[in-house]
Amino acid sequence: DGGITQSPKYLFRKEGQNVTLSCEQNLNHDAMYWYRQDPGQGLRLIYYSQIVNDFQKGDIAEGYSVSREKKESFPLTVTSAQKNPTAFYLCASSIWVSGEGNEQFFGPGTRLTVL
Amino acid sequence: GEDVEQSLFLSVREGDSSVINCTYTDSSSTYLYWYKQEPGAGLQLLTYIFSNMDMKQDQRLTVLLNKKDKHLSLRIADTQTGDSAIYFCAEKPGGYNKLIFGAGTRLAVHP
């Protein structure tokens, strides 16, 4: 089955620790995205990547880092510099064609809680 | 600037129609989307409309777009308990491949 997987589903972190969230897709999509969702707010874009070895900051990139070494994978690291990391993190992917709808497909999400 | 606004809650009776409204600010938006999120899950694309269309219908879903007023609505006919979820409106500003999401409307369906 084609789709996007995220792991783990739940993650607990102590203050001061870095943690990496996994996102894998087998849809052969060029573009991948990371969003953060907080209660009562829409999704906010953290980072996105159009092609392998390239990525751009979104609206709230501070305290986060990403890599895109493979087309299928776009891991997100939440660093200790992120002041309020407790949130629901969603990964998405899409084809990348300028001017088209480019529907984004979402993974099931990872809920990160900082203790 | 870019902003998408939605009302936060909607409660309807099972079998009635639901109408979820959304306003956006970027007049260059080329596509507008409706996503559904069930508890603890990712987002599922329900439907989308291209900015040169006024209406799109897909089974129980009807999307209306008023480009002059920058107003988008999603009508769900014969609402069922399985439609209970959060519905997000999103716009795709022209020239960008990112989406701007509203805060989501929580739809509650009661008997």
Side-chain angles (χ1 to χ4, degrees):
Chain A
D1 289 334
I4 302 178
T5 57
Q6 291 185 241
S7 61
K9 189 171 176 65
Y10 299 96
L11 189 57
F12 298 89
R13 189 195 89 176
K14 293 181 181 179
E15 280 193 36
Q17 287 181 337
N18 292 354
V19 64
T20 297
L21 281 60
S22 169
C23 178
E24 304 277 333
Q25 54 98 1
N26 61 4
L27 300 168
N28 199 33
H29 285 165
D30 296 309
M32 296 186 74
Y33 314 79
W34 274 106
Y35 293 91
R36 171 183 170 136
Q37 184 180 19
D38 294 284
Q41 296 190 40
L43 278 66
R44 292 183 289 168
L45 183 65
I46 304 172
Y47 269 99
Y48 66 101
S49 167
Q50 299 178 29
I51 57 171
V52 174
N53 293 322
D54 185 55
F55 47 83
Q56 284 79 41
K57 292 182 178 180
D59 301 317
I60 56 165
E62 186 176 350
Y64 300 97
S65 66
V66 293
S67 63
R68 188 83 187 279
E69 297 176 2
K70 298 187 300 181
K71 188 175 186 179
E72 302 79 20
S73 178
F74 191 40
L76 172 74
T77 297
V78 184
T79 76
S80 56
Q82 169 51 234
K83 297 303 179 190
N84 186 21
T86 295
F88 191 51
Y89 290 87
L90 288 160
C91 179
S93 70
S94 74
I95 61 171
W96 185 271
V97 178
S98 178
E100 296 296 324
N102 299 336
E103 173 189 349
Q104 292 188 16
F105 293 81
F106 283 81
T110 292
R111 186 167 297 281
L112 173 63
T113 302
V114 174
L115 304 173
Chain B
E2 305 159 341
D3 197 14
V4 178
E5 294 191 355
Q6 305 177 235
S7 54
L8 293 182
F9 298 102
L10 178 65
S11 178
V12 299
R13 184 177 299 177
E14 191 174 8
D16 287 351
S17 292
S18 307
V19 180
I20 303 171
N21 295 300
C22 169
T23 57
Y24 61 98
T25 56
D26 193 328
S27 58
S28 73
S29 289
T30 53
Y31 288 86
L32 295 127
Y33 302 81
W34 284 105
Y35 281 86
K36 176 183 180 182
Q37 185 182 35
E38 297 186 358
L43 274 66
Q44 171 196 355
L45 180 69
L46 286 178
T47 186
Y48 67 90
I49 188 167
F50 187 47
S51 59
N52 69 353
M53 298 170 64
D54 297 324
M55 185 183 86
K56 181 178 180 182
Q57 186 157 1
D58 184 3
Q59 298 182 336
R60 292 191 298 124
L61 305 179
T62 303
V63 177
L64 294 178
L65 175 60
N66 181 329
K67 198 172 179 183
K68 174 177 171 289
D69 294 338
K70 301 188 187 70
H71 182 267
L72 183 74
S73 69
L74 173 70
R75 178 178 181 270
I76 305 173
D78 187 24
T79 312
Q80 302 297 307
T81 54
D83 295 323
S84 295
I86 301 176
Y87 291 81
F88 290 93
C89 170
E91 63 170 342
K92 178 180 177 294
Y96 295 93
N97 213 41
K98 66 176 184 177
L99 299 182
I100 310 297
F101 285 86
T105 299
R106 184 178 295 274
L107 174 65
V109 183
H110 57 87

